[in-house]
Amino acid sequence: MRPMRPRVRTLTRPAIAAAVAAACLAGTAACAKSAPKAAASGATSTGTAAQQVVATSASGPGCTSQTYGGGVAQLNLTDPSTIVGFSQSESTSNPFRSTETDSITNQAKSLGVKLIQRNANADVNAQNSQIEDMIAQGAKVLIVAPENSDGLGPALAEAKAKKIPVLTIDRTVTGTACSDFIAFIGSNFYGQAQIAADDLATATGSQAKVAILSGTPGNNVTTDRTNGFQDQVKAKYPNMTVVASQTGKFDQTDGQSVMAQMLQANPGITAVYAENDEMALGAIQAITAAGKKPGKDIKIVSIDGTQQAVQDVAAGTIYADVETNPRFGPLAFSSLQAFFGTSGVASKVIIKDSHFTQANAQQALSGGQVY
């Protein structure tokens, strides 16, 4: 039996206002005045920390420095002696990782936070070593984008032993919230996949032979995006059949080669669900090379919302794309401020994602809403 997912609650207006205030580490009057406006305007993928929040976990009080792992030192993030470490999992040649890194870096700079950072380039062993190195260099708190969910045990254990709080973003890690890490901030990956299944059903009239390009094994993103899609198809679309499923490792080159293999083995494929845009772009190349027209002969839906993929949505090559918001900077630092304050941070915070279709893709591109 699959573990039950934690319940979430939508933020109330007072909670949104509080999050806006927390986002302004200096606590200025101008920031306080922005709270009512943010509450009224709702959530966007590019706005303040409060506007980014869709929901938070509903179980228990928020995690604070007093309750985390038996208690850790109070920190002023803007104190020059306080070093915040940021561990990025993959190369910034990936648009998601580039935007995510820029968001963390720019927010730290705007707030006067001293930040050191490392990039593991998809090597979980290197990420462990780099986190340990940042600890040795004096990092007092860590923001970590994990390479996978299970592989960071050594680094997390060292951080815990030295009472260094760890905030995880975009992928979860194995452990217990408010004991092994502060919280997880990321997208509703299962929900993304359900939307993608609905999109593909609309594109195909709910009758399709579907190929799934799944992500890298061993992390919660792949698990949730696979389960969410398959569960939705099973529950709602009996005439949609998954005829092939194979990992493309979230990589364009792997996505292309795997798609080519699946087309050879299953020439009747009429639809593709790609668990990220890089694999979708690789699938387009393979479909074209096979003499078929992507968007016409084979419908494609994807997840991420990168610029090239959204351009393909506007052009009709990809039917729809569900954004994975990489702009974690405001929300990450507001969560750390809440952690070191009195309100605390929930164990799970869901960030706002957009949904790109032919009806809005060009407008989103023109308005600079796409990374």
Side-chain angles (χ1 to χ4, degrees):
M1 179 179 293
R2 192 177 302 121
M4 292 183 65
R5 290 173 171 70
R7 297 175 61 187
V8 298
R9 62 177 174 86
T10 301
L11 285 184
T12 62
R13 288 195 176 196
I16 291 176
V20 171
C24 305
L25 299 186
T28 63
C31 287
K33 289 178 181 178
S34 72
K37 182 177 180 181
S41 63
T44 68
S45 61
T46 57
T48 66
Q51 290 173 306
Q52 289 180 298
V53 175
V54 174
T56 63
S57 61
S59 56
C63 184
T64 68
S65 58
Q66 289 77 33
T67 58
Y68 179 75
V72 296
Q74 279 286 99
L75 294 175
N76 176 358
L77 297 180
T78 58
D79 186 319
S81 66
T82 301
I83 299 174
V84 177
F86 171 51
S87 175
Q88 176 58 275
S89 60
E90 296 170 5
S91 170
T92 52
S93 62
N94 181 317
F96 179 92
R97 297 299 168 185
S98 176
T99 304
E100 181 181 59
T101 297
D102 287 346
S103 181
I104 296 291
T105 302
N106 293 339
Q107 188 71 5
K109 184 178 180 180
S110 71
L111 296 170
V113 173
K114 186 174 182 180
L115 185 75
I116 59 174
Q117 55 185 294
R118 300 287 185 275
N119 191 306
N121 288 305
D123 184 336
V124 72
N125 293 321
Q127 189 167 35
N128 274 293
S129 297
Q130 289 171 356
I131 291 172
E132 291 165 356
D133 178 62
M134 287 191 289
I135 292 172
Q137 292 193 32
K140 302 299 184 184
V141 61
L142 296 163
I143 301 171
V144 177
E147 169 56 21
N148 62 47
S149 297
D150 300 324
L152 291 181
L156 293 178
E158 179 167 346
K160 185 174 182 178
K162 295 187 176 180
K163 293 187 176 295
I164 297 172
V166 177
L167 177 67
T168 62
I169 61 173
D170 84 55
R171 291 176 183 170
T172 63
V173 292
T174 300
T176 303
C178 210
S179 176
D180 302 300
F181 56 91
I182 297 171
F184 162 73
I185 303 174
S187 296
N188 179 354
F189 305 116
Y190 188 89
Q192 289 177 329
Q194 290 178 302
I195 294 170
D198 292 338
D199 284 339
L200 205 56
T202 301
T204 62
S206 302
Q207 296 191 19
K209 294 181 179 180
V210 183
I212 297 176
L213 286 168
S214 62
T216 305
N219 69 74
N220 70 300
V221 179
T222 297
T223 300
D224 282 356
R225 286 183 182 170
T226 300
N227 290 340
F229 183 86
Q230 292 182 332
D231 289 351
Q232 190 79 341
V233 168
K234 184 178 179 180
K236 296 179 63 176
Y237 307 115
N239 293 322
M240 290 175 61
T241 304
V242 176
V243 296
S245 180
Q246 190 171 334
T247 179
K249 300 178 182 177
F250 287 137
D251 179 78
Q252 182 170 342
T253 300
D254 286 336
Q256 180 179 358
S257 62
V258 169
M259 187 73 242
Q261 294 168 14
M262 290 195 292
L263 284 170
Q264 289 179 345
N266 300 275
I269 289 171
T270 60
V272 172
Y273 164 51
E275 292 183 5
N276 84 333
D277 286 350
E278 292 294 297
M279 294 187 296
L281 298 177
I284 289 170
Q285 295 174 305
I287 292 166
T288 302
K292 297 178 182 290
K293 187 172 182 179
K296 183 178 179 181
D297 299 321
I298 298 178
K299 304 293 186 181
I300 303 168
V301 296
S302 184
I303 298 176
D304 264 356
T306 61
Q307 187 170 48
Q308 182 58 62
V310 178
Q311 288 173 347
D312 285 337
V313 173
T317 306
I318 295 175
Y319 183 78
D321 197 6
V322 183
E323 182 192 43
T324 303
N325 188 351
R327 304 171 189 89
F328 287 99
L331 192 49
F333 283 103
S334 79
S335 296
L336 290 178
Q337 181 67 7
F339 171 78
F340 288 114
T342 58
S343 60
V345 60
S347 61
K348 185 174 184 179
V349 181
I350 302 301
I351 194 170
K352 172 70 176 178
D353 293 327
S354 296
H355 180 207
F356 302 110
T357 67
Q358 283 191 302
N360 65 10
Q362 189 56 58
Q363 181 180 0
L365 290 163
S366 300
Q369 300 170 27
V370 180
Y371 61 92

